[in-house]
Amino acid sequence: MSLAPRDFLGYRDAPPSVEWPGGARLAVSFVLNFEEGAELSVADGDERNEPVYEVREEVVGAADPCMASHYEYGPRAGFDRILSLLEEHGVRATVSTCARAAERAPSLIAEAVARGHEISCHGYRWETHSGMEAGQEAEVIARTWDSLRRIAGVAPVGWHTRSASSVNTRRLLREHGGFLYDSDAYNDDLPYFAPGDGAPHVILPYSFDTNDMRFSPGGGFIFGEDFARYCGDAFDWLCREGETRPKMMSVGLHQRIIGRPGRIGGLERLLHHMRARGDVWFATRAEIAHAWRGMNGLPKWTPAQAAGARS
């Protein structure tokens, strides 16, 4: 039996020459996941109800309005609390957006764009694509892109599947033609190009450890203190390595998690810590992907999907 091809060495034998804007040692990407309203819900005709981290008990076979209200907290209260804090520190986020969630609160997505944040694709529903039939997945990708382009007023250029992409996802993204990058990888501290033929496709690895969901209730953590300390330690180490080899760091946020008043202080402490350094580039994921192409001698990316081509 032959083993599936995998890359365990990455840049080990040929470290890239990384030059972030301003000579920064580290590119920092804050990602705000906009999932609320796209979670699985029997009331929406889905196969089951999606629990939240605070409430593990699942109502089976019936609508769960109480659970729905837990999710509603994110857009109602967490959204502005998080974005306002990021903006106080001059940080623009990538809002990784499920299209069904955007369709339920389109004004928030339009507002995020007006405030200078990037809108990227996080699927239509908040669901895994693992095992999804290729034809169905292609339709989901197209539907997500079309919906977010209409709501945001600008075409999204990034994609991130909930946890597990399929074996076809990246190929389908490239075939769609509207995606500069995806974040369906967790295997490096730098971007890289997807192997294969065709136009170069940027992969921006994401992280589940420097992520507020890691510090959700039940994990034995003091949320604000441990979130700020852990993410701050990761930041410090990457800056240290960045003295000779600049790196990238992703920080994952969720409206319904760190958007709570008892947790947002952890994000504030982290931002103060990061902003104390002057050699860090805070950027959206699209900006990082464009920069990566540029430093590798590639022309400015333009989508194969012309504006209006999918209308």
Side-chain angles (χ1 to χ4, degrees):
M1 177 180 176
S2 61
L3 297 175
R6 294 170 66 186
D7 183 1
F8 286 93
L9 298 181
Y11 291 122
R12 182 180 179 85
D13 295 330
S17 176
V18 180
E19 298 180 4
W20 296 130
R25 294 182 181 183
L26 184 64
V28 176
S29 163
F30 279 90
V31 177
L32 176 60
N33 292 278
F34 197 103
E35 301 156 344
E36 294 83 355
E39 77 279 1
L40 301 184
S41 170
V42 170
D44 289 329
D46 297 326
E47 57 271 27
R48 62 180 179 86
N49 293 310
E50 186 87 38
V52 292
Y53 300 114
E54 290 86 348
V55 184
R56 303 292 180 175
E57 183 177 351
E58 181 181 341
V59 173
V60 178
D64 188 351
C66 195
M67 185 68 69
S69 74
H70 282 281
Y71 280 95
E72 290 164 7
Y73 184 90
R76 288 170 66 115
F79 173 82
D80 192 61
R81 185 174 286 143
I82 295 168
L83 288 191
S84 294
L85 180 58
L86 291 173
E87 291 160 7
E88 284 178 22
H89 291 268
V91 174
R92 289 172 297 113
T94 293
V95 183
S96 187
T97 311
C98 295
R100 191 169 81 177
E103 290 169 1
R104 298 185 116 134
S107 63
L108 296 185
I109 300 306
E111 180 184 332
V113 174
R115 292 167 73 163
H117 303 282
E118 176 196 2
I119 304 299
S120 65
C121 297
H122 196 24
Y124 188 80
R125 301 193 305 178
W126 185 46
E127 63 179 341
T128 178
H129 284 205
S130 179
M132 191 178 287
E133 190 271 329
Q136 177 191 1
E137 186 174 15
E139 292 176 0
V140 169
I141 289 170
R143 184 183 184 188
T144 302
W145 187 86
D146 288 339
S147 178
L148 292 181
R149 185 192 61 166
R150 173 179 54 80
I151 293 169
V154 293
V157 301
W159 178 275
H160 180 216
T161 314
R162 176 186 177 178
S163 298
S165 56
S166 81
V167 295
N168 299 306
T169 304
R170 189 159 289 140
R171 171 180 64 82
L172 294 173
L173 294 174
R174 297 177 76 158
E175 291 176 358
H176 178 279
F179 293 95
L180 163 66
Y181 73 89
D182 75 68
S183 297
D184 286 344
Y186 307 85
N187 54 1
D188 213 310
D189 298 312
L190 279 176
Y192 57 95
F193 292 109
D197 299 328
H201 177 82
V202 182
I203 300 174
L204 299 181
Y206 191 50
S207 175
F208 278 172
D209 69 316
T210 49
N211 192 307
D212 63 5
M213 70 177 185
R214 174 76 174 82
F215 302 89
S216 58
F221 299 102
I222 303 171
F223 189 95
E225 180 181 334
D226 288 337
F227 172 83
R229 180 189 297 120
Y230 184 92
C231 292
D233 284 350
F235 172 82
D236 290 345
W237 195 271
L238 289 170
C239 285
R240 174 177 167 180
E241 292 183 348
E243 293 181 11
T244 55
R245 295 181 181 178
K247 297 293 176 67
M248 170 186 167
M249 177 180 179
S250 298
V251 181
L253 309 174
H254 296 76
Q255 301 176 96
R256 63 192 180 275
I257 302 178
I258 207 164
R260 295 277 179 174
R263 301 171 185 160
I264 193 71
L267 178 58
E268 183 178 46
R269 287 193 284 276
L270 177 63
L271 288 165
H272 278 302
H273 180 73
M274 289 178 162
R275 271 300 184 192
R277 296 191 63 105
D279 52 1
V280 177
W281 180 41
F282 295 92
T284 67
R285 295 180 92 72
E287 289 173 329
I288 294 171
H290 280 299
W292 193 255
R293 283 178 56 90
M295 73 180 68
N296 282 279
L298 294 172
K300 184 172 177 60
W301 178 87
T302 55
Q305 301 287 359
R310 301 189 63 85
S311 60

